[in-house]
Every structure is written in structure tokens, then in C-alpha cells.
């Protein structure tokens, strides 16, 4: 059995509009993850977990002709699940068919970034992994993030952070935001990240909350 961490990055005009929405088309969303899918039929079904403006997302999904149905489960004011069904298009057909012809498993969650990428762990025979990668259409860039390793699912604390939250922490360390005494402000972090100070502060706050919560959970599990 082989384990491969891979990012798919579709390009061009054939990108599915829902995928485009989830991977950078909506600046009100973050920490977007695909929890599970059912792609053997058309329309296909998807369960998404995200943080952000659920009301705006519902409106945007409603405006996409391919979307057939949507339902939300609200966890709090900013965190939610959305189950939706949507009709497939030629690009999604090529991706799903490439997997259907092998015995590979996709280990969820699949993580979406805001640059058009979807990152997932694929598990199965090495020959099937090579076959899928070769069968992915050329308009979809394939980036191998990692091969092998003892864990199938990433359970580390840092895996709980979104790309932008991790970037904010890196910028905070590099600018001296976390030095004692503090050598930088959230404005300095924002400049390094190329965003507004309020956005940088929000990423820092959420990243810190996730890290502290994970540390406390780990500590309590040892008691």
C-alpha cells in the first residue's frame, strides 16, 4: 500500500463553478474542507465544512445553475456544514472516472485552498496511484506534497490550521510579533501577508485559538 498526499489544481474555463467558489471565488470563506462525497451518480452529493458567511454562501450556491439542492447545519455563528448536490461537468467526469477505474481510496477530509487547489491523501496500490496521476487531464496541475509516512490521516496540531492561518503565524514569528517584548504589530504582519491589518489579526486570533485548544485537549487526554 502506498500513501500519497497530492494537490490538484484545475485551470481554464472548464473548472466547475462550485469548485471555483470553494477555492478562492469567495473571500468570505475559510478553512474549507470536503468531508465526503458521493460521485457515482449525477447529480453528485458533497458535504462541506467551512467557516465564514453561510448566508452569502447559500445565495451564491443558489445562483449556480448546476446546484440542485443545498442544506446547512450551523455549528455556531461562523462555522457550518453544507450538504449540496450538483450536476457534474466534463472536467469533474474525467477526475471521478480516473478514480473509479482503480481501487484507490481518498482519505477525507480534502482541504481546499484559496488558489484553486484541493489537497487530499490517496491510499492504495502504487500502480493505481501512477495510473490515476497519468490519467488526470493536462489542464489539471498535479502537485505531489508527500509520499509515504506512518500516518494515513494527518493528526498533528498544525493540520488544524488553514493555509492563511499558518502563514499568519509564520509572518508573526518572522516580524517579531511574538518576541518578548513584542517587536512588531498586526500592521507589520498584514504587510508581510499582503492583507488588511484586521484580516491579519483575525487569522492570528483564530490560529492561536486552535493551537491553544488543541494543546488543552491533548493535556486533558493525558490526565
Amino acid at each position: 500500500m502506498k500513501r500519497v498526499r497530492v494537490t490538484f489544481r484545475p485551470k481554464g474555463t472548464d473548472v466547475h463553478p462550485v469548485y471555483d467558489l470553494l477555492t478562492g471565488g469567495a473571500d468570505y470563506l475559510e478553512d474549507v474542507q470536503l468531508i465526503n462525497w458521493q460521485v457515482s451518480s449525477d447529480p453528485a452529493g458533497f458535504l462541506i465544512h467551512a467557516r465564514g458567511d453561510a448566508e452569502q454562501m447559500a445565495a451564491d450556491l443558489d445562483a449556480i445553475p448546476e446546484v440542485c439542492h443545498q442544506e446547512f447545519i450551523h455549528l455556531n455563528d461562523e462555522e457550518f456544514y453544507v450538504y449540496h448536490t450538483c450536476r457534474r461537468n466534463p472536467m469533474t467526469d474525467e477526475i471521478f472516472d480516473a478514480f473509479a477505474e482503480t481501487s484507490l481510496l481518498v482519505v477525507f477530509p480534502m482541504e481546499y485552498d484559496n488558489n484553486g487547489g484541493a489537497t487530499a491523501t490517496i491510499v492504495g496500490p502504487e500502480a493505481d496511484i501512477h495510473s490515476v496521476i497519468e490519467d488526470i487531464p493536462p489542464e489539471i496541475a498535479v502537485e505531489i506534497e508527500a509520499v509515504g509516512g506512518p500516518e494515513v490521516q494527518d493528526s498533528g496540531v498544525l493540520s488544524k490550521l488553514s493555509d492563511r492561518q499558518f502563514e499568519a503565524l509564520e509572518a508573526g514569528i518572522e516580524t517579531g510579533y511574538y518576541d518578548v517584548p513584542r517587536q512588531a504589530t498586526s500592521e507589520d504582519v498584514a504587510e508581510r501577508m499582503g492583507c488588511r491589518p484586521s484580516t491579519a489579526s483575525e487569522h492570528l486570533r483564530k490560529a492561536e485559538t486552535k493551537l491553544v485548544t488543541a494543546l488543552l485537549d491533548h493535556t486533558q487526554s493525558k490526565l
Side-chain angles (χ1 to χ4, degrees):
M1 181 184 78
K2 274 287 186 179
R3 170 187 176 273
V4 176
R5 187 75 172 161
V6 61
T7 296
F8 299 101
R9 210 173 292 280
K11 300 172 290 184
T13 58
D14 291 333
V15 175
H16 197 285
V18 175
Y19 184 91
D20 187 53
L21 177 72
L22 298 174
T23 59
D27 58 5
Y28 56 81
L29 293 177
E30 64 177 41
D31 297 344
V32 183
Q33 296 182 324
L34 173 62
I35 303 302
N36 211 331
W37 64 19
Q38 192 287 108
V39 296
S40 61
S41 62
D42 191 8
F46 302 87
L47 179 63
I48 300 295
H49 173 269
R51 297 175 186 272
D53 189 334
E55 184 175 346
Q56 183 60 54
M57 184 179 181
D60 286 346
L61 286 175
D62 191 53
I64 296 175
E66 288 85 350
V67 175
C68 304
H69 178 76
Q70 58 169 302
E71 293 183 36
F72 283 75
I73 299 175
H74 297 273
L75 302 179
N76 51 52
D77 289 341
E78 62 175 25
E79 186 178 2
F80 57 88
Y81 289 98
V82 54
Y83 166 78
H84 69 280
T85 61
C86 60
R87 289 184 290 274
R88 295 158 54 161
N89 72 354
M91 177 173 286
T92 58
D93 282 343
E94 288 187 86
I95 296 174
F96 297 150
D97 290 346
F99 278 94
E101 295 171 0
T102 72
S103 58
L104 294 179
L105 298 176
V106 176
V107 181
F108 294 102
M110 180 181 293
E111 299 173 1
Y112 294 128
D113 63 38
N114 59 3
N115 292 310
T119 303
T121 297
I122 301 172
V123 173
E126 184 174 3
D128 282 354
I129 292 176
H130 286 299
S131 175
V132 163
I133 292 176
E134 290 174 358
D135 289 344
I136 293 296
E139 59 268 25
I140 300 177
V142 179
E143 304 167 9
I144 304 298
E145 308 290 349
V147 178
E151 292 186 344
V152 173
Q153 287 185 303
D154 191 350
S155 58
V157 173
L158 294 181
S159 68
K160 302 180 184 298
L161 303 179
S162 69
D163 290 342
R164 288 293 273 174
Q165 289 164 4
F166 188 84
E167 183 182 348
L169 290 178
E170 281 191 316
I173 292 172
E174 291 168 358
T175 58
Y177 181 83
Y178 289 109
D179 288 358
V180 180
R182 181 167 286 175
Q183 302 298 316
T185 66
S186 58
E187 285 79 6
D188 298 312
V189 175
E191 183 178 356
R192 180 67 64 93
M193 295 179 65
C195 64
R196 297 190 302 270
S198 60
T199 301
S201 295
E202 183 178 6
H203 286 311
L204 287 168
R205 177 180 58 80
K206 290 182 177 179
E208 291 160 1
T209 298
K210 287 183 179 180
L211 291 178
V212 171
T213 300
L215 177 61
L216 290 176
D217 288 345
H218 177 74
T219 301
Q220 291 173 350
S221 69
K222 299 296 184 181
L223 296 179

